[in-house]
Amino acid sequence: MVMILALLATAVATAMRAQGPVAQPTGPEQTVEVTAERFAFQPSEITVPVGTTLKVVLKSDDTTHGFRIKGEGVNVQIPKRGRGTITATFTPAKAGKYTFECSRICGAGHGFMRGTIVVVERGSEAK
Ligand code: CUA
């Protein structure tokens, strides 16, 4: 089941990449490992330069969670603890702040599970 969902998520992501007015994935890649646990993401803030292909490798320390970047068509299900990881890929074309949140009901604090991807102009990330 998880496998099928993962495949589905990959297929959807691929389809969206094919259609959308998305930046070409010619920039550098950055991989960030994020752990989801009731009721927070760790880390909850990720900073990348614009145009970077951000790969968020997600795992859970307890139950199944979700990871959605609001308004960006990124939404994956994070398998429960011990069931491996899932990677969400996001290539921001514009600088700004992008909110991510848990997209699967996981308990009383579900609504508090959120974080921010801060996309900065290239060259300013050291500031
Ligand atoms: Cu974690 Cu909802």
Side-chain angles (χ1 to χ4, degrees), residues 36 38-39 41 63-66 102-107 109-111 113:
R38 295 189 181 98
F39 292 101
F41 291 99
T63 190
T64 308
H65 295 277
C102 184
S103 55
R104 191 174 189 281
I105 301 294
C106 56
H110 164 73
M113 285 191 71

Side-chain angles (χ1 to χ4, degrees), residues 68-74 98-101 114:
R68 169 168 55 213
I69 303 174
K70 288 174 85 173
E72 299 299 321
V74 174
Y98 298 78
T99 299
F100 62 83
E101 62 187 8
R114 42 180 62 229

